[in-house]
Structures are given as structure tokens and as C-alpha cells.
């Protein structure tokens, strides 16, 4: 008989008393799997920058927008500065073969040093776009900065951007334009430093009251 795992309770007081790293790990992983993306930017001097983010979220489809959270700017945030200076950035999905280099992009390099040159990640450019994409990323999104909102409770910043272009590996695009990301082993992040490869279990039609849920597969 399978042993039933115990449920462990963490009160607010218990959480606050935890050492820093265990607390970070607990709070960053308890909310579930997060998106794993590389944001690429460029400085005014032309130095490319790439950094991993796990907070990118869909904000709307019409107009097409996304957002992400930046940590407080009490220390230099190269991605933030570059976005404010040039107004554009790219969002690039991470695949299983890219995770070690993608994770290394979180290291605190000076803005004069490109993470592209400190990893095996490669820049990719398209006609008329001066901001780099990440080569071999199966979904690449060009974004334009629109606005930002300070989260006063902890000093973070919510960046709002419009989606200007989407470049997608053809085999991901299904007949209704839904992207089946598991076909290219697109990863998610569990906590701060755990990487997982999701597999499609099912896909369902739009849910309506009093109508049985129907699989689309």
C-alpha cells in the first residue's frame, strides 16, 4: 500500500523565521511552475544583453500584450536600463538543451559584458530589427515598452509591453494557431533553479455551463 505523504503547515511566522535561502526556495516554488524565458536587449553603445526571467505573463490578446516583474532597482538592472533606453526587447523561449547557459545568464555581469559571450547562447537578427533574439529558441517575440507600475509593497516593477512580432518554429503551430510547446521541449522553472520539461496531457474545448468537458485530442 502506498504511504500517504503528510501535509506540512508553514505559518506566516514560521516562514518569516526561516533562514534566507530556505525561505527563498519555499516561496519561489510554492506558487507552481513558472514560465522560463530569456529577455534580450541592447545598450545604447551596442552591447547585447540576455537574462533569464520567470515572471513573464500574458496580459491580453487584443491588443496583444505581455508583462513581467523586475526586482527592485536598488542595484543596477541592465535589462531594465536597456529597455528604458531603446524601448524594445525580445522574449525567447528556453528549450531543454539551453538550460545551463540560460541559468548562467542570471550571473551579475557588468553592462559592458554581453552574456552571449559568456555562454553558448547566440544572437540572432532579422531584417529591420536591431534588438537581438536568441538563436534556436523556438518562439521569439519582439516587444515594445509601453508602461511600468511600481509594486509599492516590495519595490518591484511591473513592465507592460506590446507584442510587435512573433517568430515561431513551424512545427509548433497547430491548425487553430495554438502552439504545442512540448514538441520542442520548452522548459518551465520550478522555484529559482529547477528546470522541468512539461508534456501535453490533454487539451479541452472552451468550457460552457452545463456542457460536458470535451477533449480536443
Amino acid at each position: 500500500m502506498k504511504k500517504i505523504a503528510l501535509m506540512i503547515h508553514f505559518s506566516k511566522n514560521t516562514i518569516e523565521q526561516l533562514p534566507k535561502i530556505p525561505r527563498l526556495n519555499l516561496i519561489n516554488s510554492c506558487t507552481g511552475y513558472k514560465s522560463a524565458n530569456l529577455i534580450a536587449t541592447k545598450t545604447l553603445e551596442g552591447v547585447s544583453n540576455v537574462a533569464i526571467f520567470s515572471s513573464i505573463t500574458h496580459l491580453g490578446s487584443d491588443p496583444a500584450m505581455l508583462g513581467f516583474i523586475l526586482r527592485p532597482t536598488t542595484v543596477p538592472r541592465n535589462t531594465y536600463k536597456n529597455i528604458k533606453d531603446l524601448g524594445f526587447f525580445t522574449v525567447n523561449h528556453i528549450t531543454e538543451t539551453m538550460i545551463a547557459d540560460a541559468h548562467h545568464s542570471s550571473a551579475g555581469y557588468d553592462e559592458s559584458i554581453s552574456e552571449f559571450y559568456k555562454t553558448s547562447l547566440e544572437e540572432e537578427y532579422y531584417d529591420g530589427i536591431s534588438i537581438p533574439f536568441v538563436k534556436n529558441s523556438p518562439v521569439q517575440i519582439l516587444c515594445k515598452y509601453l508602461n511600468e507600475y511600481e509594486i509599492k509593497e516590495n519595490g518591484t516593477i511591473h513592465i507592460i509591453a506590446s507584442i510587435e512580432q512573433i517568430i515561431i518554429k513551424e512545427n509548433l503551430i497547430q491548425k487553430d494557431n495554438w502552439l504545442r510547446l512540448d514538441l520542442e521541449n520548452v522548459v518551465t522553472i520550478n522555484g529559482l533553479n529547477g528546470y522541468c520539461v512539461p508534456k501535453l496531457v490533454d487539451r479541452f474545448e472552451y468550457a460552457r455551463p452545463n456542457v460536458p468537458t470535451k477533449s480536443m485530442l
Side-chain angles (χ1 to χ4, degrees):
M1 182 179 293
K2 184 177 180 180
K3 185 177 180 181
I4 299 175
L6 296 175
M7 298 297 290
I8 308 299
H9 291 234
F10 289 87
S11 68
K12 181 177 178 63
N13 182 64
T14 301
I15 293 169
E16 292 174 347
Q17 297 303 314
L18 287 172
K20 179 180 179 180
I21 299 304
R23 185 176 68 252
L24 285 173
N25 286 332
L26 175 63
I27 300 305
N28 275 277
S29 58
C30 75
T31 52
Y33 295 113
K34 296 176 287 188
S35 61
N37 299 104
L38 288 164
I39 291 183
T41 58
K42 184 168 279 190
T43 69
L44 287 171
E45 295 74 28
V47 179
S48 57
N49 171 278
V50 64
I52 191 168
F53 281 80
S54 62
S55 61
I56 295 176
T57 55
H58 160 85
L59 292 181
S61 301
D62 187 16
M65 296 191 303
L66 57 75
F68 69 95
I69 300 295
L70 275 164
R71 288 181 291 173
T73 54
T74 50
V75 298
R77 302 292 181 194
N78 298 335
T79 297
Y80 179 62
K81 182 178 184 299
N82 294 345
I83 291 173
K84 293 300 292 287
D85 284 344
L86 294 182
F88 289 88
F89 61 96
T90 68
V91 172
N92 305 268
H93 283 24
I94 299 168
T95 63
E96 185 175 8
T97 59
M98 299 162 63
I99 57 177
D101 288 314
H103 188 75
H104 188 74
S105 71
S106 64
Y109 288 106
D110 185 85
E111 67 175 350
S112 63
I113 300 173
S114 172
E115 292 83 1
F116 283 108
Y117 300 117
K118 292 295 183 177
T119 66
S120 295
L121 300 171
E122 296 181 57
E123 299 172 62
E124 184 168 30
Y125 291 91
Y126 297 99
D127 289 344
I129 303 173
S130 61
I131 305 299
F133 295 82
V134 178
K135 189 174 182 179
N136 297 322
S137 173
V139 180
Q140 306 168 332
I141 308 169
L142 175 66
C143 299
K144 180 181 179 180
Y145 171 90
L146 294 178
N147 208 341
E148 64 184 66
Y149 298 91
E150 180 189 3
I151 310 299
K152 294 181 179 179
E153 288 75 10
N154 64 359
T156 57
I157 300 171
H158 192 189
I159 300 293
I160 311 298
S162 63
I163 295 175
E164 302 292 311
Q165 288 194 41
I166 311 174
I167 302 159
I168 307 163
K169 198 165 184 180
E170 184 179 19
N171 65 313
L172 297 184
I173 306 174
Q174 306 302 295
K175 62 181 180 180
D176 56 355
N177 274 356
W178 177 71
L179 304 186
R180 183 167 173 175
L181 300 179
D182 66 324
L183 295 179
E184 286 293 324
N185 291 325
V186 171
V187 303
T188 62
I189 293 180
N190 180 192
L192 290 169
N193 51 13
Y195 295 84
C196 306
V197 182
K199 294 297 179 184
L200 180 67
V201 175
D202 209 335
R203 186 184 179 210
F204 297 99
E205 293 181 345
Y206 185 83
R208 293 176 174 82
N210 302 315
V211 178
T213 301
K214 184 178 179 182
S215 173
M216 297 176 66
L217 300 182

